[in-house]
Amino acid sequence: MKIIMLGAPGAGKGTQAEMLAEKYDIPHVSTGDIFRMNIKNGTELGMEAKTYMDKGLLVPDELTVRILLDRVAKDDCKKGYILDGFPRNIPQANVLEEALSKLGDKIDYAINVEVPDENIIRRMGGRRACVACGATYHIENVPPKKEGICDKCGQELILRDDDKPETVGNRLQVYKDQTQPLIDFYSTKGVLHNVDGTKDMKEVFETIVAILG
Ligand code: AP5
Ligand code: MG
């Protein structure tokens, strides 16, 4: 099963992808998490990606596409995967489609998590992220058991550099200009499902599970 999570920054793609990955026992592949891990480890890739991420811009396609295609070619992706944050524009979607069709394969579901801008700004302000394992928390909605520490792996939680209010505005604009057209793209392919992301995260999860069957 190959699933794409669509939705604005802060819509809850990562939160849902993580829960789905556990239920269906397939990897959660987030390009944002891969970049953040590289930034933490001080790699060249991380340094390059950071210059774009801190401005709320997309990392160039050639870099992102290579990383994504390498990741999904790994053995653990043979049964399927959940893509979170990729594709993020039409050119990336076309590259993915071509790569899959060479393998006689395709995307099965594109889940679009819909949340209005007002909710998003509130969610991002309170978000805390674990760079080590990709888990996501919220200081009010989803607090960790111990403040500042990841429940799953015990590492310190961070406030993402791109969650500053001035960067969030840019990310929302980039989403509208470049990523939103993917909703029509996947609708035309007959795989799009819209989900109300303003509901409680468990309710959102159950709605998605009902779609996936
Ligand atoms: P990325 O890491 O993908 O960030 P994003 O798309 O901006 O999305 P977020 O991770 O901010 O939000 P989310 O939808 O995962 O929400 P979450 O579950 O955390 O990308 C970051 C940057 O990397 C990009 O700007 C770009 O520079 C670069 N990049 C990444 N991929 C790229 C690509 N393919 N091409 C080019 N560049 C790329 O939830 C948000 C908060 O809300 C959390 O605190 C959570 O606990 C809370 N929450 C979740 N669900 C609920 C709920 N139902 N009710 C209440 N609170 C909730
Ligand atoms: Mg995310």
Side-chain angles (χ1 to χ4, degrees), residues 2-3 18 55-56 67 74 90 95 104 145 170:
K2 297 186 178 60
I3 306 166
E18 202 189 320
K55 296 189 191 106
I67 286 162
K74 296 226 157 77
I90 300 282
V95 170
K145 290 195 186 85
N170 280 347

Side-chain angles (χ1 to χ4, degrees), residues 35 37-48:
F35 290 140
M37 179 70 88
N38 275 276
I39 292 171
K40 189 179 175 223
N41 294 336
T43 69
E44 210 172 300
L45 163 72
M47 293 304 105
E48 183 170 357

Side-chain angles (χ1 to χ4, degrees), residues 80-206:
Y81 43 78
I82 304 158
L83 298 185
D84 160 18
F86 187 100
R88 227 175 174 100
N89 56 26
I90 300 282
Q92 291 184 7
N94 283 327
V95 170
L96 178 65
E97 191 176 21
E98 275 166 38
L100 285 173
S101 81
K102 277 189 195 146
L103 304 168
D105 213 342
K106 60 172 182 51
I107 290 298
D108 302 300
Y109 299 94
I111 306 291
N112 179 33
V113 184
E114 296 182 297
V115 175
D117 289 3
E118 314 77 270
N119 301 42
I120 282 174
I121 290 159
R122 211 169 329 120
R123 284 186 187 185
M124 299 239 214
R127 171 164 54 192
R128 296 294 179 271
C130 176
V131 179
C133 76
T136 302
Y137 301 86
H138 188 281
I139 48 174
E140 284 159 18
N141 304 340
V142 196
K145 290 195 186 85
K146 188 166 171 223
E147 199 186 321
I149 302 293
C150 179
D151 292 350
K152 301 207 170 101
C153 73
Q155 295 288 309
E156 217 169 301
L157 300 175
I158 61 149
L159 223 160
R160 276 171 45 176
D161 283 340
D162 62 348
D163 278 348
K164 295 189 199 92
E166 60 274 25
T167 315
V168 170
N170 280 347
R171 287 165 63 199
L172 284 171
Q173 194 56 48
V174 168
Y175 167 75
K176 282 176 188 146
D177 294 342
Q178 301 197 46
T179 311
Q180 223 166 20
L182 292 175
I183 296 174
D184 280 346
F185 181 95
Y186 286 109
S187 172
T188 308
K189 309 267 172 212
V191 295
L192 184 83
H193 299 264
N194 292 311
V195 170
D196 180 356
T198 62
K199 299 268 173 9
D200 171 86
M201 55 190 261
K202 289 206 181 63
E203 220 178 313
V204 179
F205 178 65
E206 276 154 24

